[in-house]
Amino acid sequence: MASLRGPVLIVEDDPDIRESLQHFLEAHGYPVHVASHGREALEHLGRRPQPSMVVLDMTLPVLDGHRVLTARKGDASLRAIPVVILSAAMAGMGARDRALYASSYGVAAFLGKPADPQQVLEAVERHALKGEDPQAGVPV
């Protein structure tokens, strides 16, 4: 496991999924923060150190995943943070539509539900930002 710039942020409203993924990733040595809705996710994204990646459910209360992605896209300081979508809601999308959505919103990967913790771990290992956060010491 390489050193991550910051924690993995899991944004999931189902407490069973959220907690099981959190415990699984932590057992593999990854720091994890969690959010149960989109507004809470944006609060985490604004903190230092910023997450090294986001695992994002799309069907969320308060602020859905699409709005989180839209806010991230509109903020230059957040655009580089990789996002892996973990959602049953995207299962109906064809490969072409997923590719267009991914390129429009900077999505690194799509994973379906039920969540396979091993696939999430592989996505973290493949996509999470490694090394020091260049802005870790910068106050917000």
Side-chain angles (χ1 to χ4, degrees):
M1 176 191 84
S3 175
L4 299 185
R5 285 189 182 185
V8 174
L9 176 59
I10 298 171
V11 187
E12 171 61 61
D13 61 322
D14 182 313
D16 293 333
I17 295 172
R18 186 175 62 240
E19 291 170 15
S20 67
L21 289 176
Q22 177 181 10
H23 296 307
F24 184 79
L25 291 176
E26 287 175 342
H28 283 84
Y30 290 101
V32 176
H33 288 170
V34 295
S36 60
H37 56 76
R39 186 171 300 135
E40 190 178 6
L42 292 177
E43 290 168 7
H44 279 284
L45 287 169
R47 295 180 187 150
R48 298 285 184 240
Q50 285 183 314
S52 58
M53 78 173 289
V54 179
V55 178
L56 179 67
D57 184 15
M58 295 302 284
T59 308
L60 297 166
V62 183
L63 195 69
D64 67 21
H66 181 74
R67 287 184 163 170
V68 171
L69 290 172
T70 301
R72 175 181 154 268
K73 182 178 178 178
D75 185 331
S77 70
L78 303 179
R79 276 188 223 127
I81 300 171
V83 173
V84 172
I85 291 177
L86 178 66
S87 183
M90 305 299 265
M93 290 178 82
R96 183 174 186 273
D97 290 336
R98 265 193 300 242
L100 288 170
Y101 193 86
S103 66
S104 294
Y105 290 96
V107 174
F110 292 88
L111 299 176
K113 283 186 177 175
D116 177 350
Q118 189 61 42
Q119 285 183 326
V120 175
L121 177 63
E122 290 168 8
V124 169
E125 291 171 348
R126 184 176 313 120
H127 300 292
L129 299 173
K130 312 290 191 291
E132 294 293 315
D133 181 350
Q135 298 179 347
V138 178
V140 252

